[in-house]
Amino acid sequence: KEIIRIGGDIPEGWGVLDFESPFDEWISKGADSPECKKAVESMVNAIKKIKIMFPKVKWTYYGLPGLLYYIGDYNWATAPEELKNKEIARQLAQYGPIMDECDWLAPCCYDTVGDGKGGIMPLPNQRISTRAWHAARTKMCVDYARSKGRNCPVIPFVSPLFMPGGGSRVWSVIPKDVMVKDTIEPVLISGAAGVSIWTNGSYFINLVISANKAKDFTEGGGIETMIKH
């Protein structure tokens, strides 16, 4: 009903299905696990049905496929090729059947890594590894689509804000030159057809009004910086 409300009786354009937790956790158990098989089957069936219901919309899943930032003691700038290839193959074995049903691919290329002290800027070596990771997430999708002989655009999700998970000041705005150098350039050079900018402002507002988030966010200049941009 919401799709028809927004797009009319015969919607067109680009659509994204968002199956995150617990599906990602189930899939991460490995392609041969019962949990992964169940999750993949469910997601394949869901996108097949939505494509029948809305055939003029190009459909994908948000954030697929996954790719670990750290591989053991390495990151994507330091890991041996053998380990990187093994991680890519593992992810594609898990997510491949879902990717095969997508009209376009939308991996998440978000900047999360900071200095571990809540600082706004990642260290130089972290920026290098982040660029390598974003390039790898994009290229694995481009290469996969080509291996299947499919004209399947890769349009990663990017965000102008630091995301949770790597020690940076969460939700702080990434300086424009850093975002261009560490996110936009790597994905485009790696074959992306463009980028989708994640701009769910209501999500951030819901976060910052909670008592445990608002103080740190406002003192860090988060709200003022968001408004300015």
Side-chain angles (χ1 to χ4, degrees), residues 122-223:
L123 300 173
N125 64 320
Q126 293 169 331
R127 293 187 60 187
I128 292 171
S129 61
T130 295
R131 289 196 290 271
W133 184 51
H134 289 163
R137 294 203 74 165
T138 305
K139 189 175 184 299
M140 68 184 289
C141 294
V142 172
D143 289 348
Y144 184 82
R146 287 176 178 169
S147 74
K148 297 287 184 173
R150 298 184 60 209
N151 181 19
C152 182
V154 177
I155 307 175
F157 277 97
V158 303
S159 178
L161 307 178
F162 283 107
M163 294 291 165
S168 59
R169 186 188 294 278
V170 177
W171 314 132
S172 293
V173 175
I174 301 170
K176 183 170 66 174
D177 61 326
V178 174
M179 184 174 180
V180 169
K181 188 69 175 176
D182 296 356
T183 302
I184 304 298
E185 285 186 3
V187 303
L188 294 180
I189 291 172
S190 300
V195 297
S196 298
I197 299 179
W198 194 79
T199 56
N200 193 348
S202 61
Y203 176 69
F204 297 119
I205 298 301
N206 288 336
L207 280 176
V208 302
I209 61 175
S210 64
N212 63 330
K213 294 285 184 180
K215 185 173 183 293
D216 177 67
F217 187 84
T218 53
E219 287 182 354
I223 290 177

Side-chain angles (χ1 to χ4, degrees), residues 73-80 84 129 132:
D73 295 329
Y74 301 98
N75 59 49
W76 278 89
T78 61
K84 291 192 282 190
S129 61

Side-chain angles (χ1 to χ4, degrees), residues 56 71 86 101 104 136 152 198 211:
K56 292 193 174 184
I71 312 173
K86 185 176 180 180
E101 300 298 331
W104 56 292
C152 182
W198 194 79

